[in-house]
């Protein structure tokens, strides 16, 4: 197994990893075809590896993986979908060149270039896909416009613990997609001291109300030596009013943001409704003073 991984790392420049799949992509050039390599390391089959070469003149731009599926975005603005065992299932056309993509479970989140931006703006589109390899179809939403802070760049994309799309821009604003709207849920720049410091997000834990990542002093990306220490910030919507009232309004908004993801979990739903009712009653009492 180690020899296979060493070989792959020497030839491939992009990767995706789940608890069952290792996916590696080689961009390709005029002499070498674009290639996708997959190691299904949890499979009971003796042959755990498979590869696929892209057609001539088509190159790999990004790879992602989830529960039983593999995706590759290519230079022809194609999204090629495979099962974990290498069966081709779908080819979808994207609206522009890939910026980034990430997958988890049955969800795939894709960001692409859209068109030439206005001054001090970025112009990106996003897709969300729900993948069902058994039916051979994916539920595709998009392309839709991706919001960013003016004069800033896209810094990180991911999926939360509840498999909702999340983005961070270079202004430090973390946004989460809920019911077709992007909500700013954390401003990491207000949580760090140095002007040149940044917070590199690694995950958003919505159920614990935390943004987790690594503080980077004087740089945009974490250093490997010394070993970085993880940190976390609470999810806080940027409200106009602070103090006791602002704190109650913050908790009320957080409970509203939790409603779409609670689902059939009766315990979480009961706890969330209790928090919402408590906040409403306290705000009502404050207004009656």
């Amino acid at each position: 197994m180690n020899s296979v991984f060493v070989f792959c790392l020497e030839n491939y420049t992009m990767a995706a990893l789940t608890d069952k799949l290792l996916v590696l992509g080689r961009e390709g050039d005029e002499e070498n075809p674009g290639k996708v390599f997959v190691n299904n390391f949890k499979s009971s089959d003796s042959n755990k590896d498979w590869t696929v070469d892209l057609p001539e003149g088509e190159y790999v731009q990004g790879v992602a993986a989830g529960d039983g599926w593999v995706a590759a975005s290519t230079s022809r603005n194609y999204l090629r979908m495979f099962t974990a065992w290498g069966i081709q299932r779908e080819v979808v056309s994207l609206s522009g060149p890939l910026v980034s993509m990430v997958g988890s479970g049955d969800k795939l989140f894709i960001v692409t270039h859209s068109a030439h931006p206005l001054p001090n703006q970025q112009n990106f589109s996003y897709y969300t896909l729900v993948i069902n390899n058994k039916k051979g179809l994916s539920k595709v939403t998009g392309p839709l416009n991706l919001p960013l802070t003016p004069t800033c760049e896209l810094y990180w994309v991911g999926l939360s613990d509840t498999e909702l799309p999340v983005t961070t821009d270079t202004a430090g604003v973390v946004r989460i997609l809920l019911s077709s709207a992007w909500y700013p849920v954390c401003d990491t720049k207000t949580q760090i001291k140095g002007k040149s410091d940044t917070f590199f997000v690694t995950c958003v834990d919505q159920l614990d109300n935390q943004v987790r990542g690594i503080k980077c002093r004087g740089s945009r990306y974490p250093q490997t030596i010394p070993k970085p220490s993880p940190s976390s910030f609470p999810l806080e919507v940027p409200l106009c009013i602070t103090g006791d009232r602002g704190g109650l309004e913050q908790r009320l908004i957080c409970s509203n943001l939790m409603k779409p993801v609670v689902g059939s979990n009766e315990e979480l739903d009961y706890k969330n409704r209790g928090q919402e009712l408590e906040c409403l009653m306290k705000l009502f009492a404050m207004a009656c003073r």
Side-chain angles (χ1 to χ4, degrees), residues 85-247:
W85 299 273
I87 299 174
Q88 300 179 82
R89 295 296 284 174
E90 292 182 80
V91 181
V92 179
S93 284
L94 301 176
S95 62
L98 179 73
V99 176
S100 186
M101 61 193 295
V102 61
S104 177
D106 63 350
K107 304 295 194 303
L108 176 61
F109 177 45
I110 302 173
V111 179
T112 66
H113 289 281
S114 183
H116 196 279
L118 295 172
N120 299 321
Q121 301 283 346
Q122 294 286 335
N123 195 346
F124 295 148
S125 296
Y126 73 90
Y127 294 80
T128 58
L129 291 87
V130 180
I131 300 166
N132 188 327
N133 282 319
K134 294 181 179 179
K135 294 183 178 180
L137 294 172
S138 298
K139 180 182 177 182
V140 181
T141 302
L144 298 170
N145 292 332
L146 183 75
L148 291 175
T149 305
T151 72
C152 294
E153 301 173 359
L154 184 64
Y155 186 37
W156 180 86
V157 301
L159 293 169
S160 70
D161 59 330
T162 54
E163 295 189 347
L164 294 176
V166 183
T167 66
T168 306
D169 57 31
T170 50
V173 178
V174 181
R175 295 178 176 87
I176 191 166
L177 179 64
L178 274 167
S179 303
S180 301
W182 286 93
Y183 291 85
V185 293
C186 185
D187 187 348
T188 61
K189 284 290 187 181
T190 63
Q191 307 281 350
I192 52 181
K193 297 180 180 179
K195 292 184 178 181
S196 60
D197 295 348
T198 56
F199 186 74
F200 185 81
V201 177
T202 56
C203 68
V204 173
D205 194 339
Q206 192 180 6
L207 295 180
D208 283 345
N209 206 48
Q210 296 287 319
V211 177
R212 307 188 191 280
I214 299 170
K215 294 180 181 179
C216 306
R217 294 184 177 179
S219 66
R220 292 180 60 178
Y221 300 100
Q223 302 293 320
T224 55
I225 300 176
K227 183 179 180 180
S229 300
S231 303
S232 63
F233 298 139
L235 295 181
E236 290 183 346
V237 177
L239 300 180
C240 298
I241 299 174
T242 58
D244 292 340
R245 176 184 164 185

